[in-house]
Amino acid sequence: KISFINEIANLCDCIGADIDDVARGIGLDKRIGSHFLNAGIGYGGSCFPKDTRALDFIATLNGYDFDLLKSVIDVNNRQRLLPVIHLAKAFPDLHRRKVAVLGLSFKPHTDDVRESPALDIVPLLLQEGARVACYDPIAGNVELGAAVRVDTVWEALDGASAAVLTTEWQEFRDLDWSRARALMADEPIVFDGRNALDREALVSAGFRYMAVGRPGEHRG
């Protein structure tokens, strides 16, 4: 269901539809329900990734080509590329631009970073030449390469050209984005990788807002 709704979100991006409306409609069907229909940069953690790969391995070991499951895994891996793809298109050159990565744990209310999308996104941003500052309220120790881990969200945002929301902590949902805008560089971008933020509030604060399957870019 997660990879399915992410594929629908990618289609929404192509045609200008809003995944929030589409997911709401799909969820009204009681045979499907609304759980796990939140589009974003993909699942992580200790269970979903390991279990899907294990099931695929069992299928392969027994001579069965489990195409649907392979697609689920492929889609989930591809979703993690979206923030980098969008930012690379938005800026002629990411070299030396500061990007704030908000969240390192794979979901809120845990310090678990196993299979977290952020751990793929950070090195991809570094490969593009960005300076990366990461902040998470409680996530455990993690290798971030040349990226810097800071103690507050404000340190991460200070001077940043873009912020990428990778974990939907309530701290980020409730953030004073007007204050954030004042700290950041000119014409900053927020990539909402969890479709968890109030886009109208961000646009009003002066951000370019990008998300997964939500209509086009918005500029305040």
Side-chain angles (χ1 to χ4, degrees):
K1 287 179 73 175
I2 293 169
S3 286
F4 171 75
I5 203 63
N6 282 335
E7 284 283 72
I8 295 295
N10 295 336
L11 178 59
C12 286
D13 275 334
C14 293
I15 64 177
D18 189 327
I19 188 58
D20 294 343
D21 295 334
V22 176
R24 191 176 302 113
I26 293 173
L28 291 174
D29 188 326
K30 293 181 180 179
R31 296 167 298 178
I32 300 172
S34 59
H35 295 296
F36 301 108
L37 290 182
N38 300 313
I41 52 176
Y43 58 79
S46 61
C47 297
F48 280 174
K50 172 177 60 67
D51 292 347
T52 50
R53 287 195 297 265
L55 190 57
D56 182 47
F57 176 75
I58 291 170
T60 301
L61 196 63
N62 287 276
Y64 183 70
D65 197 4
F66 202 152
D67 288 338
L68 177 61
L69 188 61
K70 291 181 188 296
S71 295
V72 166
I73 296 168
D74 289 344
V75 168
N76 196 62
N77 291 335
R78 190 174 68 235
Q79 290 302 108
R80 300 171 183 226
L81 301 175
L82 292 181
V84 184
I85 291 171
H86 280 267
L87 292 183
K89 288 180 179 179
F91 296 116
D93 188 358
L94 274 174
H95 185 68
R96 301 305 299 165
R97 286 187 181 270
K98 182 179 178 181
V99 178
V101 173
L102 306 183
L104 292 171
S105 58
F106 81 91
K107 67 177 182 179
H109 313 299
T110 181
D111 62 357
D112 194 344
V113 298
R114 285 177 290 181
E115 301 282 352
S116 169
L119 302 190
D120 288 328
I121 293 167
V122 167
L124 289 171
L125 289 169
L126 291 172
Q127 287 175 22
E128 292 294 322
R131 295 183 296 117
V132 182
C134 306
Y135 169 72
D136 188 285
I138 65 170
N141 291 329
V142 59
E143 175 56 48
L144 295 172
V148 176
R149 185 166 181 179
V150 296
D151 295 328
T152 71
V153 66
W154 307 115
E155 290 179 80
L157 294 170
D158 189 17
S161 296
V164 178
L165 179 74
T166 51
T167 313
E168 62 274 34
W169 286 101
Q170 195 64 41
E171 178 178 352
F172 304 143
R173 291 175 180 266
D174 297 337
L175 197 69
D176 182 347
W177 286 101
S178 293
R179 177 183 174 187
R181 174 66 186 85
L183 284 174
M184 296 174 71
D186 292 339
E187 298 190 345
I189 292 172
V190 170
F191 186 92
D192 184 359
R194 296 300 184 183
N195 288 8
L197 304 176
D198 184 339
R199 63 181 134 183
E200 298 306 323
L202 285 161
V203 171
S204 297
F207 286 97
R208 294 171 65 186
Y209 176 83
M210 300 177 181
V212 184
R214 286 179 163 181
E217 293 186 18
H218 302 263
R219 187 189 295 272

